Coordinates of all heavy atoms in Angstrom, one line a residue:
N5 N -7.3 5.9 8.4 CA -7.1 5.8 9.8 C -5.8 5.2 10.2 O -5.7 4.5 11.2 CB -8.3 5.1 10.5 CG -8.4 3.7 10.0 OD1 -7.9 3.3 9.0 ND2 -9.2 3.0 10.8
S6 N -4.8 5.3 9.3 CA -3.4 4.6 9.5 C -2.9 5.2 10.8 O -2.8 6.3 11.1 CB -2.5 5.0 8.4 OG -2.9 4.3 7.2
D7 N -2.4 4.2 11.6 CA -1.7 4.5 12.8 C -0.2 4.4 12.6 O 0.2 4.3 11.4 CB -2.1 3.6 14.0 CG -1.7 2.2 13.7 OD1 -1.0 1.7 12.7 OD2 -2.2 1.2 14.4
A8 N 0.7 4.6 13.6 CA 2.1 4.7 13.4 C 2.6 3.3 12.7 O 3.5 3.4 11.9 CB 2.8 4.9 14.7
D9 N 2.1 2.2 13.2 CA 2.4 0.9 12.6 C 2.2 0.9 11.1 O 3.1 0.4 10.3 CB 1.8 -0.3 13.3 CG 2.3 -0.5 14.7 OD1 3.4 0.0 15.0 OD2 1.6 -1.2 15.5
A10 N 1.1 1.3 10.7 CA 0.7 1.3 9.2 C 1.7 2.2 8.5 O 2.2 1.8 7.4 CB -0.7 1.8 9.0
V11 N 2.0 3.3 9.0 CA 2.9 4.2 8.3 C 4.3 3.6 8.2 O 4.9 3.7 7.2 CB 3.0 5.5 9.1 CG1 4.1 6.5 8.5 CG2 1.7 6.3 9.1
Y12 N 4.7 2.9 9.3 CA 6.0 2.3 9.4 C 6.1 1.2 8.2 O 7.1 1.2 7.4 CB 6.2 1.7 10.7 CG 7.5 0.7 10.7 CD1 8.8 1.1 10.9 CD2 7.3 -0.7 10.5 CE1 9.8 0.2 10.9 CE2 8.3 -1.6 10.6 CZ 9.6 -1.0 10.7 OH 10.7 -2.0 10.7
Y13 N 5.1 0.4 8.1 CA 5.2 -0.7 7.1 C 5.0 -0.2 5.7 O 5.7 -0.9 4.9 CB 4.0 -1.7 7.4 CG 4.2 -2.6 8.5 CD1 3.4 -2.5 9.8 CD2 5.3 -3.6 8.5 CE1 3.8 -3.3 10.8 CE2 5.6 -4.4 9.6 CZ 4.8 -4.3 10.8 OH 5.1 -5.1 11.8
V14 N 4.5 0.9 5.4 CA 4.5 1.5 4.1 C 6.0 1.9 3.7 O 6.4 1.6 2.6 CB 3.7 2.7 3.9 CG1 3.9 3.5 2.6 CG2 2.2 2.4 4.0
Q15 N 6.8 2.5 4.7 CA 8.2 2.8 4.4 C 9.0 1.5 4.2 O 9.9 1.5 3.3 CB 8.8 3.6 5.6 CG 7.8 4.7 6.1 CD 7.2 5.5 4.9 OE1 7.8 5.9 4.1 NE2 5.9 5.7 5.1
K16 N 8.7 0.4 4.8 CA 9.3 -0.9 4.5 C 9.1 -1.3 3.2 O 9.9 -1.8 2.4 CB 8.8 -1.9 5.6 CG 9.5 -3.3 5.4 CD 9.0 -4.2 6.4 CE 9.6 -5.6 6.3 NZ 9.2 -6.6 7.3
Q17 N 7.8 -1.1 2.8 CA 7.4 -1.5 1.5 C 8.1 -0.6 0.4 O 8.6 -1.1 -0.7 CB 5.8 -1.3 1.4 CG 5.2 -1.5 0.0 CD 3.7 -1.1 0.1 OE1 3.3 -0.4 1.0 NE2 2.9 -1.6 -0.9
L18 N 8.2 0.6 0.7 CA 8.9 1.5 -0.3 C 10.3 1.3 -0.4 O 11.0 1.4 -1.4 CB 8.6 2.9 0.1 CG 7.3 3.6 -0.3 CD1 7.0 5.0 0.4 CD2 7.2 3.9 -1.9
D19 N 10.9 0.9 0.8 CA 12.3 0.5 0.8 C 12.6 -0.6 -0.1 O 13.7 -0.6 -0.9 CB 12.8 0.2 2.1 CG 14.3 -0.1 2.3 OD1 15.1 0.8 2.0 OD2 14.6 -1.2 2.8
A20 N 11.7 -1.6 -0.2 CA 11.9 -2.7 -1.1 C 11.7 -2.3 -2.6 O 12.5 -2.8 -3.3 CB 10.8 -3.8 -0.7
M21 N 10.8 -1.5 -2.8 CA 10.5 -1.1 -4.2 C 11.8 -0.3 -4.7 O 12.2 -0.4 -5.9 CB 9.3 -0.2 -4.3 CG 8.0 -1.0 -4.2 SD 6.6 0.1 -4.5 CE 6.6 0.4 -6.2
L22 N 12.3 0.7 -3.8 CA 13.4 1.5 -4.2 C 14.6 0.7 -4.3 O 15.5 0.8 -5.3 CB 13.5 2.7 -3.4 CG 12.3 3.7 -3.3 CD1 12.5 4.7 -2.2 CD2 12.3 4.4 -4.6
S23 N 14.9 -0.3 -3.4 CA 16.1 -1.1 -3.4 C 16.1 -2.0 -4.8 O 17.3 -2.1 -5.3 CB 16.2 -2.0 -2.2 OG 16.2 -1.2 -1.1
H24 N 15.1 -2.4 -5.2 CA 15.0 -3.3 -6.4 C 14.8 -2.6 -7.6 O 14.9 -3.1 -8.7 CB 13.9 -4.3 -6.2 CG 14.2 -5.5 -5.2 ND1 13.7 -5.3 -3.9 CD2 14.8 -6.5 -5.3 CE1 14.2 -6.4 -3.3 NE2 14.8 -7.1 -4.2
G25 N 14.5 -1.2 -7.5 CA 14.3 -0.4 -8.7 C 13.1 -0.9 -9.5 O 13.0 -1.0 -10.8
T26 N 11.9 -1.2 -8.8 CA 10.7 -1.7 -9.5 C 10.2 -0.8 -10.6 O 9.9 -1.3 -11.6 CB 9.6 -2.0 -8.4 OG1 10.2 -2.7 -7.4 CG2 8.3 -2.5 -9.0
V27 N 10.1 0.5 -10.3 CA 9.6 1.5 -11.3 C 10.5 1.5 -12.5 O 10.0 1.5 -13.7 CB 9.3 2.8 -10.7 CG1 9.1 3.8 -11.8 CG2 8.2 2.9 -9.7
Q28 N 11.8 1.5 -12.2 CA 12.7 1.5 -13.4 C 12.6 0.2 -14.3 O 12.8 0.3 -15.4 CB 14.2 1.7 -12.8 CG 14.5 3.0 -12.2 CD 13.8 3.4 -11.0 OE1 13.5 2.5 -10.3 NE2 13.5 4.7 -10.8
S29 N 12.4 -0.8 -13.6 CA 12.2 -2.1 -14.3 C 11.0 -2.0 -15.3 O 11.1 -2.4 -16.4 CB 12.0 -3.3 -13.4 OG 13.2 -3.5 -12.6
V30 N 9.9 -1.4 -14.8 CA 8.7 -1.3 -15.6 C 9.0 -0.3 -16.8 O 8.6 -0.6 -17.9 CB 7.6 -0.8 -14.8 CG1 6.3 -0.4 -15.7 CG2 7.1 -1.7 -13.7
I31 N 9.7 0.9 -16.4 CA 10.0 1.8 -17.5 C 10.9 1.1 -18.6 O 10.6 1.2 -19.8 CB 10.8 3.0 -16.9 CG1 9.8 3.8 -16.0 CG2 11.4 3.9 -18.0 CD1 10.5 4.9 -15.2
Q32 N 12.0 0.4 -18.1 CA 12.8 -0.3 -19.1 C 12.1 -1.3 -19.9 O 12.3 -1.4 -21.2 CB 14.0 -1.0 -18.4 CG 15.0 -1.5 -19.3 CD 16.1 -2.2 -18.5 OE1 16.1 -2.4 -17.4 NE2 17.3 -2.6 -19.3
Y33 N 11.3 -2.1 -19.3 CA 10.5 -3.1 -20.1 C 9.7 -2.6 -21.2 O 9.8 -3.0 -22.3 CB 9.6 -4.0 -19.1 CG 8.8 -5.0 -19.8 CD1 9.4 -6.3 -20.1 CD2 7.6 -4.7 -20.4 CE1 8.7 -7.2 -20.8 CE2 6.9 -5.8 -21.0 CZ 7.4 -7.0 -21.2 OH 6.8 -7.9 -22.0
F34 N 8.9 -1.4 -20.9 CA 8.0 -1.0 -21.9 C 8.8 -0.1 -22.9 O 8.3 0.0 -24.1 CB 6.9 -0.1 -21.2 CG 5.8 -1.0 -20.7 CD1 5.8 -1.4 -19.3 CD2 4.8 -1.5 -21.6 CE1 4.8 -2.3 -18.9 CE2 3.9 -2.3 -21.0 CZ 3.8 -2.7 -19.7
S35 N 9.9 0.3 -22.5 CA 10.8 1.1 -23.6 C 11.4 0.1 -24.5 O 11.7 0.4 -25.6 CB 11.8 2.0 -22.9 OG 12.8 1.2 -22.2
T36 N 11.7 -1.1 -24.1 CA 12.3 -2.1 -25.0 C 11.4 -3.1 -25.5 O 11.7 -4.0 -26.3 CB 13.4 -2.9 -24.2 OG1 12.8 -3.5 -22.9 CG2 14.5 -2.0 -23.7
H37 N 10.1 -3.0 -25.2 CA 9.0 -3.8 -25.8 C 7.9 -2.9 -26.3 O 6.8 -3.0 -25.9 CB 8.4 -4.8 -24.7 CG 9.4 -5.8 -24.3 ND1 10.5 -5.6 -23.5 CD2 9.6 -7.1 -24.6 CE1 11.2 -6.7 -23.3 NE2 10.5 -7.6 -23.9
P38 N 8.2 -2.1 -27.3 CA 7.2 -1.2 -27.9 C 6.0 -1.9 -28.6 O 5.0 -1.3 -28.7 CB 8.0 -0.4 -28.9 CG 9.2 -1.3 -29.4 CD 9.6 -2.1 -28.1
E39 N 6.2 -3.2 -28.8 CA 5.1 -4.0 -29.4 C 4.0 -4.2 -28.3 O 2.8 -4.3 -28.8 CB 5.6 -5.3 -30.0 CG 5.9 -6.4 -28.9 CD 7.2 -6.2 -28.2 OE1 8.0 -5.3 -28.5 OE2 7.6 -7.2 -27.4
K40 N 4.3 -4.1 -27.0 CA 3.3 -4.3 -26.0 C 2.2 -3.3 -26.0 O 1.1 -3.3 -26.1 CB 3.9 -4.5 -24.7 CG 4.7 -5.8 -24.6 CD 3.9 -7.0 -24.8 CE 4.7 -8.3 -24.9 NZ 5.1 -8.9 -23.7

């Protein structure tokens, strides 16, 4: 039942994840720590 405000805040959240490269950090960590 997300309204326009909820949709907006998700984009703000995604902007932070993309700006910091969160997924890329996870990918790099597990590629360089195969023992995990």
Side-chain angles (χ1 to χ4, degrees):
N5 64 345
S6 293
D7 57 15
D9 285 343
V11 175
Y12 168 83
Y13 283 113
V14 168
Q15 312 319 308
K16 181 179 180 181
Q17 175 185 24
L18 282 168
D19 184 59
M21 290 186 69
L22 293 170
S23 297
H24 288 94
T26 305
V27 171
Q28 286 70 28
S29 295
V30 173
I31 293 172
Q32 182 180 14
Y33 179 86
F34 281 93
S35 68
T36 56
H37 291 73
E39 75 279 3
K40 294 301 171 78

